[in-house]
Each structure stands twice: as C-alpha cells, then as structure tokens.
Amino acid sequence: ETGVTQTPRHLVMGMTNKKSLKCEQHLGHNAMYWYKQSAKKPLELMFVYNFKEQTENNSVPSRFSPECPNSSHLFLHLHTLQPEDSALYLCASSQELAGSLYEQYFGPGTRLTVT
Amino acid sequence: GENVEQHPSTLSVQEGDSAVIKCTYSDSASNYFPWYKQELGKRPQLIIDIRSNVGEKKDQRIAVTLNKTAKHFSLHITETQPEDSAVYFCAASRRGGGNQFYFGTGTSLTVIP
C-alpha cells in the first residue's frame, strides 16, 4: 500500500479504556505528525517527530502519548480520555531536505468517539 | 510562534464565478505556503504551494499569489465547478522551524450549480 495509512479508521472507546492509533508512511519521509481535527475547528497540531525524535509537543494532555519506533511508524496511545477528545485524528508525513520543507501527506484519519 | 489567519470562513459562489481565499501570516521567516483541499469525509490533500522566492504560481484553474512585504498569500480559483466545493486550508512553515506547519482555520467553499 502506498502513501500514509492509518488504523483503525473508526474507534469507539469508553473513558477508562486504553487504545492505540497506528500510522504508517510508505513515502520514505523523515518527519511525521499527529493532528486533531474537531468539527468546525482548525487542524490542531499535537506532536511532531523528526528522524524519530520528538521535536514538538503542543501542550497536549498526558492522556495522549505518542511513540515513534522508526521513521515509518507512528503511534498515539490513548488512556483515560474525555468525551471532548472525540474527533478525527490525522497522521501526516513530510520530507525535510536541505532545510526546506515539502508538502505534508495526510492519512485518512481515525474517527474517535469517546463515550 | 507563527500565527496564520484565514478569511473568509465560508464562501458561496455561483458555478463559473471565481473564488478568492486570503491568508495572512506573522513570521517573516516563513518561506513555504501550501494550500490543502479537504472534501467531506476525506483527508486534506495539497492542491498548490508556493515558496517565498516566487510571487505567483498557477496550475490550470488554480493560482496562488504571495506578497512577502505584506505577509499575505491568496488562493484564486477561476471558473468554479461544483466539485470545487470543499474546505480549503492555508498553511505556513519555515526552514529550521522544527518541521512545524501552521494552518489557517479553513474556508468552506460552496459552488452553487
């Protein structure tokens, strides 16, 4: 499969559950991102990984825990979520080359519902 | 950090008319400005981008203009078609900025047949 893939596509979880979202990019990129997209709100950047190292954490609550075992895979571990965390979670990847950034390729997203 | 503002938030045009969406940014070091289109229930996809060494770029019915002095850039869609209906996001990023992309709040474009 090509591009950026995400699993699962839909997830319903209770507030006491633990689940993980998975993202895989097949583009050879060196940067990966997690975004949260809520209804009628802009894309909210959550985490950035560059060459497997986390470079940004935009004040995200600790109930969201990212993991980047290699430059092709990115996980978002979820624990004790709140109903307001229900949203579309998008993964993206991009390439930084000689200091210049190139377009982000987005995955299809995971639609998360917290009950 | 960078702050990107996007206007309007909603835009309705008649089929065949032009649509213009504007964004401003605050960090003069920003040098890469992509535009994404997100159709309902789908992922955002790049439609056009521009770098700070260029003032204008065109791709068929889509064009982007950049004014570095005023720190604003605009998306122009000519001869709009119903399939252009979507949410459009602008973004800004810069070299050495920690790979961060700063997105605008989005414009919901509706093309009325």
Side-chain angles (χ1 to χ4, degrees):
Chain A
E1 192 164 357
T2 59
V4 182
T5 58
Q6 287 185 246
T7 54
R9 296 293 308 276
H10 300 272
L11 178 62
V12 179
M13 59 185 289
M15 290 190 284
T16 58
N17 291 159
K18 287 184 181 181
K19 296 286 185 183
S20 295
L21 310 184
K22 179 183 176 182
C23 175
E24 184 172 0
Q25 60 99 356
H26 310 266
L27 300 166
H29 289 165
N30 53 23
M32 295 188 76
Y33 312 75
W34 279 117
Y35 287 92
K36 176 184 179 183
Q37 188 174 37
S38 305
K40 300 184 180 180
K41 284 182 135 182
L43 286 164
E44 299 175 54
L45 179 65
M46 301 175 73
F47 301 104
V48 181
Y49 277 83
N50 189 21
F51 291 103
K52 303 189 304 176
E53 300 297 322
Q54 184 176 310
T55 56
E56 294 294 332
N57 175 343
N58 283 4
S59 303
V60 179
S62 59
R63 56 186 184 268
F64 295 92
S65 173
E67 179 189 359
C68 189
N70 55 61
S71 57
S72 298
H73 294 85
L74 186 64
F75 295 90
L76 187 62
H77 303 299
L78 315 172
H79 174 55
T80 322
L81 294 191
Q82 305 298 312
E84 59 264 30
D85 297 322
S86 298
L88 180 68
Y89 288 84
L90 289 163
C91 173
S93 70
S94 69
Q95 182 70 16
E96 181 176 343
L97 189 62
S100 292
L101 285 172
Y102 293 84
E103 70 172 287
Q104 288 188 315
Y105 289 80
F106 286 86
T110 295
R111 174 68 62 186
L112 174 66
T113 303
V114 181
T115 60
Chain B
E2 174 66 278
N3 180 42
V4 177
E5 295 190 359
Q6 182 172 347
H7 299 281
S9 56
T10 59
L11 178 61
S12 291
V13 299
Q14 290 292 137
E15 182 177 358
D17 287 350
S18 295
V20 180
I21 303 170
K22 298 182 179 181
C23 287
T24 61
Y25 60 99
S26 59
D27 187 352
S28 56
S30 289
N31 60 0
Y32 177 59
F33 307 92
W35 284 90
Y36 290 85
K37 174 184 180 182
Q38 187 175 26
E39 297 177 55
L40 191 63
K42 295 192 175 180
R43 72 187 80 188
Q45 290 193 293
L46 182 82
I47 53 171
I48 196 166
D49 57 10
I50 192 167
R51 296 189 185 274
S52 58
N53 58 346
V54 176
E56 183 176 0
K57 185 176 178 181
K58 288 185 77 171
D59 183 4
Q60 299 183 349
R61 298 185 296 109
I62 295 172
V64 56
T65 58
L66 171 65
N67 184 326
K68 286 187 294 182
T69 303
K71 295 207 278 287
H72 68 69
F73 55 113
S74 300
L75 177 71
H76 304 255
I77 306 174
T78 58
E79 300 171 30
T80 54
Q81 301 167 4
E83 52 265 38
D84 294 328
S85 296
V87 178
Y88 292 81
F89 294 96
C90 64
S93 66
R94 64 177 179 85
R95 176 179 297 194
N99 293 90
Q100 284 231 44
F101 285 77
Y102 297 88
F103 281 84
T105 49
T107 296
S108 179
L109 172 65
T110 302
V111 179
I112 304 165

